[in-house]
Amino acid sequence: MIYVIASIEVKEGAREEFLKIFKANVPAVKAESGCIMYQPTVDFDSGMDAQKHIPGNVVMIIEGWACIECLKKHLASPHMLKYQEDVKELVKGTTLNIVEPA
């Protein structure tokens, strides 16, 4: 199993529109072979000292995949290519961390 932590920085004021488009694509992703979890998340103010900064324009996607091949197929799937086209004007940048259990 592998995990993906995707950090998506959206343009100022675009988070809600981005999330609407993203969430519409979630059922298609969850139906993919090898998808174990696929969840958008956003920071909230926990009041904990360790939480230094709460970005209002970042969406973190937490994903679980059975294998790297499943992830590669996911990234090339028609619904993901459409999603990428649909959000391209809303996104400033994306980083991926692809990790495995230690």
Side-chain angles (χ1 to χ4, degrees), residues 23-49:
K23 288 177 180 180
N25 194 41
V26 168
V29 174
K30 286 187 172 181
E32 290 180 49
S33 176
C35 181
I36 297 166
M37 72 177 292
Y38 193 75
Q39 180 67 50
T41 65
V42 295
D43 283 289
F44 75 98
D45 188 354
S46 66
M48 298 174 69
D49 290 340

Side-chain angles (χ1 to χ4, degrees), residues 9-15 56-57 90 92:
E9 182 182 5
V10 297
K11 293 179 180 175
E12 199 65 40
R15 189 170 85 173
N57 63 331
L90 304 174
K92 288 176 77 174

